[in-house]
Amino acid sequence: MDYDAPRQSLMDVIQERNRKLGKNQSICRVVYAIRLVNRSDSPQEALTWHETWIQRWTNKDTEKATGILLAMPSNLIHVLEVPSKLVYSLLREIKDAMGHKALFESCKVLVSTQDIASRVFPIWGGKLISLPRSDANHDGNDKVTQMVSDVYGNLIRLGKKLSALDESEVRQNMDALRSKYTDLLPMNDEVGVFLASKGCTDLTMFLDIYDRPIDLVLDSELVWPIPQPLNF
């Protein structure tokens, strides 16, 4: 056996598979909620802010964005599918908007999935919407965790329903979300609960976890004298 012959790593196998599938970059899906500043024009301003970002950083060929943004009277929730490198660029700009431009009050990252198998939304779109208060009991972190899971699952189902439509029908259905897909949309107070819950990750903490260098301490480093390396 030739031990000096080049061998493939798991990363090599994954990258080769992605090339065969025509998948040249990793796509990430992130879901976050934002509490808007208390102004009557805040929902429209927040929607415009995101539309501008999408137009500036993405295009239909290489940096395509898909997903949906629902801007409510005091909050918004956004599902976004973009190349991974753009997710953190967006989240940092949101953090800046919270600190200096007084556009957003707070942000919670509800879901972050790296290297998704496929997109579920056919396009990106935003909608001003308001849904009445729900009757559900939202007390307790366990219930909030289940709420996040339910809302996320419903939004994924919404994306799949939209993807099953003809291209000409997608925009029409996105404009009629409240009448056609009410059962899949989050209520105003549900998004408010996410933003108030300590069980949902704050944007600043999320970015800190992502940026913090990994510092692993091996068990062997805590033993003295240091064990001799194994000879194979």
Side-chain angles (χ1 to χ4, degrees):
M1 184 175 180
D2 186 2
Y3 290 100
D4 294 326
R7 291 178 291 174
Q8 280 190 317
S9 67
L10 177 59
M11 179 62 74
D12 294 328
V13 173
I14 293 173
Q15 290 178 337
E16 179 62 25
R17 180 202 66 184
N18 288 341
R19 279 193 292 270
K20 290 179 179 179
L21 294 174
K23 186 178 179 183
N24 298 320
Q25 53 189 339
S26 173
I27 303 299
C28 177
R29 181 184 300 121
V30 64
V31 184
Y32 58 83
I34 292 178
R35 188 184 308 282
L36 305 176
V37 295
N38 188 20
R39 293 200 306 264
S40 60
D41 61 345
S42 290
Q44 180 60 62
E45 190 176 355
L47 179 56
T48 301
W49 187 94
H50 280 86
E51 288 174 340
T52 301
W53 187 91
I54 293 291
Q55 293 168 3
R56 185 170 79 247
W57 288 107
T58 67
N59 60 64
K60 293 181 179 180
D61 298 322
T62 59
E63 307 289 354
K64 180 181 178 182
T66 54
I68 191 167
L69 184 149
L70 303 174
M72 302 168 180
S74 57
N75 310 310
L76 69 78
I77 187 167
H78 189 193
V79 186
L80 181 65
E81 300 166 335
V82 290
S84 298
K85 64 182 181 180
L86 294 182
V87 169
Y88 297 96
S89 172
L90 170 62
L91 294 178
R92 288 189 173 89
E93 289 195 37
I94 291 173
K95 183 180 177 182
D96 290 341
M98 288 165 50
H100 305 294
K101 301 175 183 177
L103 179 58
F104 310 131
E105 285 191 3
S106 62
C107 177
K108 295 289 184 75
V109 179
L110 308 178
V111 178
S112 177
T113 307
Q114 299 287 335
D115 196 20
I116 59 177
S118 61
R119 301 172 186 264
V120 295
F121 284 88
I123 61 173
W124 185 89
K127 180 73 174 174
L128 297 174
I129 197 168
S130 180
L131 295 173
R133 180 180 300 274
S134 67
D135 297 327
N137 181 3
H138 306 318
D139 295 334
N141 283 336
D142 290 343
K143 291 185 178 180
V144 170
T145 302
Q146 185 60 51
M147 283 173 58
V148 171
S149 177
D150 291 343
V151 167
Y152 178 61
N154 284 336
L155 290 172
I156 294 299
R157 282 188 279 274
L158 172 61
K160 290 180 177 180
K161 285 181 178 291
L162 292 173
S163 293
L165 300 173
D166 293 335
E167 186 175 347
S168 60
E169 297 177 308
V170 173
R171 285 291 180 189
Q172 296 176 4
N173 278 259
M174 291 190 77
D175 289 339
L177 286 176
R178 183 165 181 172
S179 61
K180 293 189 175 184
Y181 304 105
T182 303
D183 58 327
L184 298 178
L185 301 176
M187 302 293 177
N188 299 353
D189 63 321
E190 289 179 319
V191 180
V193 168
F194 299 154
L195 288 161
S197 172
K198 294 181 180 179
C200 297
T201 306
D202 180 78
L203 173 59
T204 301
M205 180 183 296
F206 180 86
L207 290 174
D208 181 60
I209 293 171
Y210 178 78
D211 293 331
R212 187 187 307 155
I214 298 175
D215 185 17
L216 296 178
V217 179
L218 302 178
D219 290 342
S220 59
E221 297 179 38
L222 304 177
V223 177
W224 185 263
I226 298 175
Q228 292 297 317
L230 297 176
N231 295 318
F232 294 96

